[in-house]
Amino acid sequence: IPGGLVGGAFTLWAFSRNRNQPFALWADVASPGLLLAQSIGRWGNFINQELYGLPSQLPWAIHIAPGNRVQRFAQYESFHPLFLYESVLNIMGCLILLWATRRYARNLQQGDIALGYFVIYPTIRFFLEFIRVDSSQVAGINANQSLMAVVAIVSAFLLALRKLNIGSAPNR
């Protein structure tokens, strides 16, 4: 997803520049829909039997075929449906962004909703990485979790800075 976001952001930037329109405004428009699209896309992980979590005996645990299991968990049959957790949380994130767009419309600056996306989605991914069985380890560090933590913290910091800047007026 990070690579897709970079490619999508570049394409959106080129589009907005070509049309002489504000990139931040278009990023705000796209952000809730992006979370919704990611929510739908996670169901592909279910079909492919990927993006599942640690072994689980919970009533909603899913069966993973032996050929699709991560080797170190091959002896287990049922796992946390990580794709489902992320799908539901992404829908909730989409609804939060839509609600914030309406509730705070007069106080938002262009780019605030996009920054909200970059707080919400990385936070979801950060916490789900704790139960993911196939995390991307680099030198013993979960690369996805580390990246998501940095993006969420930087985005929250930038959003807070924008809100604390008393002299700036909303530009919606």
Side-chain angles (χ1 to χ4, degrees), residues 14-139:
F15 169 82
S16 60
R17 183 172 177 176
N18 186 36
R19 300 262 196 266
N20 202 24
Q21 296 180 0
F23 168 76
L25 178 63
W26 280 106
D28 285 345
V29 169
S31 293
L34 185 56
L35 275 169
L36 180 61
Q38 287 173 234
S39 176
I40 294 166
R42 284 298 175 205
W43 284 87
N45 298 126
F46 172 68
I47 293 167
N48 294 334
Q49 290 199 335
E50 55 191 18
L51 191 64
Y52 54 90
L54 294 171
S56 173
Q57 294 303 316
L58 292 169
W60 57 85
I62 57 172
H63 174 76
I64 299 295
N68 293 331
R69 295 180 196 154
V70 172
Q71 187 60 37
R72 65 186 165 127
F73 295 104
Q75 71 274 23
Y76 299 98
E77 292 186 15
S78 58
F79 299 85
H80 281 279
L82 207 56
F83 79 93
L84 178 63
Y85 299 163
E86 186 170 332
S87 181
V88 169
L89 290 169
N90 283 345
I91 288 172
M92 291 171 61
C94 172
L95 295 173
I96 288 168
L97 291 181
L98 291 171
W99 171 80
T101 300
R102 293 190 66 137
R103 172 70 172 88
Y104 299 106
R106 295 177 189 241
N107 301 324
L108 291 173
Q109 297 174 337
Q110 289 179 5
D112 284 353
I113 296 299
L115 281 172
Y117 167 87
F118 285 108
V119 171
I120 292 171
Y121 179 70
T123 300
I124 291 168
R125 280 293 298 271
F126 176 84
F127 285 106
L128 291 179
E129 286 291 324
F130 283 112
I131 61 172
R132 188 171 178 166
V133 294
D134 61 344
S135 60
S136 301
Q137 298 290 321
V138 176

